Amino acid sequence: MGFQRAVLSIDGGGIKGIVPAMILAKIEEETQKPICQLFDLIAGTSTGGILTLGLTKPSEKDRTKPKFTAKQLVDLYVKQGKIIFQGREPEKSNFDNNIINIVKELGNLYIEQGKGIFQGRELEKSNFDNAKENLLKAILNKFLPQIEAEDLFSSKHSRKGKKKVINDYLKDTYMKEALAEILITSYSTNFRKPIFFTSNSQKEEEYKTSKLYRVICEGYTMENAALATSAAPTYFKPYWVDAINHPDKGYTLVDGGVFANNPTSIAIIEAMNSYKAKKGKNIPLDELLVVSLGTGRKARGLDIDEIANWGQIKWIEPLIDITLNGQSEVVDYQMEQLLSAKLQRSIQEQQYYRFQPQYSEIKNSKHYSMGENDLIYVNDKMDDASTDNIDNLVEASQRFINKEIYNLKRLSNELSKIVRSDL
């Protein structure tokens, strides 16, 4: 028996959402169908969540068809990337006070040690108006050149630009209006629980009593879900939403990547739950076609000589990357084992497709190539929205698609063959 359902999962990865967007555009080209008609459930985290929402938002002209093609969502990154990842808005009072406190502590330390640097002087705010930023920046430039002083006290990017772009693309659309069942991940820091935005209102009611997580739908918009799932710690401020159909007051939400940067396993479970709710019986695992899209795997290793003496500050940025990449890779491993044709002997066709570019390390550790003869320099940081990096991500993605064209055509053929007689 062939596949009865298809599931799509899209990883987080910031500006590197260009990669899955271009892969999906190729699938739409091959099948001549929109993504929302090819998959029964789509799950996304962070940038993958934004893509999921964009691909399932109904058009104002015809509510049965999507407003955006995957190709149009590539433009979201190419044309709007710099707006999404714009610099923070100045918050001088907070920054100044923190700098002053640091300088005072340094001054007190020197006085206590008899250095006399600040002896005989009052440490007044006016004394630091011109020097406060230079002092901390000098310290950081000496020991942590990759960190901006302001990043220690506030999020790296303003949410203003991201909110404008998301509003332009997703405004006035409720989660329950999605053209396919969708699941968007986020995490509540005040309740310390995963929060899942879903388009399936029945699941909100079904999971209402869970003590481990919240599933929310009614009254929430696609914009709510997009801003929550992309609120990456240290990059953007957390996002608050009121609790609408639950006695909770509300949720302080951050990026779902903190627990599910690759939501493939969650997507499979929810697809199976939806099938059972609709058909009254379980769907055999080998009747699920599973597609998982990454945003590119980081290649640069961190050797013992480099990290042996790192402290909390130096670990912040690489630890985020390691956590996100590591979580994605272990889910990929689990899916390969669970859905391998060698284990599922009843399957004649490939059941699990994972598309994940590998950024190969080259001489300059800040840049990566796709392993081709002509190097394409890609900075794999999630917020590098420079024109050069976006152009190179597009070129690198196209090369990856060319390399994987056989598997993409094979997948597109399988997706086109699925007949859902009950829909």
Side-chain angles (χ1 to χ4, degrees):
M1 191 173 184
F3 298 117
Q4 299 300 303
R5 293 289 186 269
V7 175
L8 172 64
S9 171
I10 312 174
D11 287 14
I15 194 66
K16 295 180 294 178
I18 288 172
V19 177
M22 289 185 62
I23 292 171
L24 292 169
K26 185 62 179 177
I27 292 173
E28 288 189 338
E29 178 187 322
E30 290 291 328
T31 61
Q32 292 298 296
K33 290 183 178 181
I35 294 300
C36 64
Q37 293 179 12
L38 295 170
F39 294 93
D40 299 277
L41 186 141
I42 308 174
T45 290
S46 195
T47 197
I50 293 173
L51 281 173
T52 298
L53 295 160
L55 291 165
T56 58
K57 174 184 167 65
S59 169
E60 293 86 354
K61 296 180 179 179
D62 184 348
R63 304 297 289 181
T64 66
K65 295 180 179 180
K67 181 175 177 64
F68 303 108
T69 64
K71 187 175 182 180
Q72 288 174 315
L73 292 179
V74 174
D75 287 341
L76 182 153
Y77 297 96
V78 173
K79 296 180 179 180
Q80 309 291 339
K82 288 183 179 179
I83 298 176
I84 294 171
F85 291 103
Q86 67 179 229
R88 70 176 61 80
E89 292 178 317
E91 298 180 10
K92 281 191 173 291
S93 60
N94 181 50
F95 178 62
D96 286 358
N97 289 335
N98 279 292
I99 296 293
I100 291 167
N101 289 335
I102 288 175
V103 174
K104 285 185 176 181
E105 289 297 322
L106 288 172
N108 291 334
L109 178 63
Y110 281 119
I111 291 171
E112 290 172 4
Q113 293 180 350
K115 301 297 183 181
I117 292 179
F118 292 105
Q119 285 181 339
R121 299 183 181 181
E122 288 293 324
L123 294 176
E124 298 176 354
K125 182 174 180 178
S126 59
N127 293 336
F128 307 107
D129 283 344
N130 297 323
K132 57 185 178 293
E133 292 187 23
N134 291 334
L135 174 61
L136 186 56
K137 286 179 179 178
I139 295 171
L140 289 175
N141 286 335
K142 175 69 175 176
F143 300 105
L144 298 167
Q146 75 276 20
I147 295 179
E148 295 287 339
E150 292 88 345
D151 293 347
L152 295 176
F153 308 114
S154 60
S155 56
K156 190 173 182 181
H157 300 285
S158 167
R159 192 169 60 199
K160 185 176 180 180
K162 182 181 71 168
K163 187 173 182 178
K164 180 184 183 304
V165 172
I166 288 174
N167 181 263
D168 288 344
Y169 276 77
L170 302 175
K171 63 181 177 181
D172 302 326
T173 307
Y174 286 94
M175 287 293 297
K176 63 182 181 181
E177 296 180 81
L179 294 176
E181 183 174 351
I182 59 175
L183 189 78
I184 309 297
T185 65
S186 188
Y187 187 82
S188 169
T189 59
N190 55 328
F191 283 94
R192 294 295 184 97
K193 294 177 181 179
I195 303 291
F196 299 108
F197 289 85
T198 179
S199 60
N200 189 333
S201 58
Q202 292 180 344
K203 288 184 176 179
E204 179 178 35
E205 190 63 32
E206 180 183 350
Y207 301 147
K208 206 167 190 177
T209 59
S210 173
K211 296 181 179 180
L212 301 177
Y213 52 85
R214 294 280 187 271
V215 177
I216 58 179
C217 174
E218 292 288 347
Y220 293 99
T221 65
M222 288 187 169
E223 182 179 358
N224 291 147
L227 289 170
T229 194
S230 61
T234 75
Y235 290 93
F236 293 104
K237 288 182 178 180
Y239 181 69
W240 170 268
V241 295
D242 293 328
I244 297 175
N245 297 309
H246 201 280
D248 299 333
K249 182 179 179 181
Y251 310 107
T252 301
L253 300 175
V254 296
D255 196 316
V258 300
F259 74 95
N261 198 55
N262 176 351
T264 304
S265 57
I266 299 171
I268 291 172
I269 292 169
E270 289 307 312
M272 297 177 76
N273 288 342
S274 296
Y275 184 92
K276 184 175 182 180
K278 189 168 190 176
K279 303 279 284 185
K281 61 179 181 180
N282 292 320
I283 183 173
L285 182 59
D286 59 9
E287 292 182 11
L288 278 178
L289 177 60
V290 180
V291 181
S292 179
L293 305 181
T295 58
R297 181 184 292 115
K298 188 167 186 173
R300 190 176 81 88
L302 299 172
D303 295 329
I304 185 67
D305 292 340
E306 181 180 359
I307 68 174
N309 296 315
W310 281 8
Q312 294 182 27
I313 293 179
K314 276 199 173 183
W315 266 110
I316 291 174
E317 187 172 356
L319 186 59
I320 292 173
D321 290 336
I322 289 170
T323 301
L324 297 180
N325 291 332
Q327 191 275 342
S328 290
E329 288 162 10
V330 75
V331 172
D332 184 22
Y333 162 77
Q334 292 167 346
M335 295 302 101
E336 279 193 354
Q337 298 301 311
L338 182 65
L339 305 175
S340 169
K342 294 179 182 178
L343 298 177
Q344 302 287 337
R345 294 188 179 181
S346 62
I347 299 175
Q348 299 300 316
E349 298 294 339
Q350 182 176 342
Q351 182 184 13
Y352 173 62
Y353 290 82
R354 172 70 171 171
F355 295 100
Q356 171 77 311
Q358 172 71 52
Y359 300 129
S360 302
E361 184 175 1
I362 60 174
K363 194 169 184 179
N364 183 344
S365 64
K366 293 183 179 180
H367 297 93
Y368 301 85
S369 77
M370 295 299 293
E372 303 288 344
N373 292 331
D374 297 323
L375 298 180
I376 299 296
Y377 298 105
V378 175
N379 184 348
D380 75 341
K381 286 188 176 181
M382 63 179 286
D383 62 337
D384 185 351
S386 64
T387 300
D388 285 347
N389 198 52
I390 288 175
D391 290 344
N392 291 341
L393 273 168
V394 170
E395 176 63 23
S397 299
Q398 188 58 57
R399 289 191 181 187
F400 178 74
I401 289 169
N402 294 341
K403 181 181 176 182
E404 293 289 329
I405 192 62
Y406 171 79
N407 287 324
L408 286 167
K409 286 180 176 290
R410 184 181 179 187
L411 168 61
S412 297
N413 182 56
E414 287 298 322
L415 288 168
S416 298
K417 289 194 305 184
I418 296 176
V419 178
R420 303 169 177 86
S421 58
D422 58 313
L423 298 181

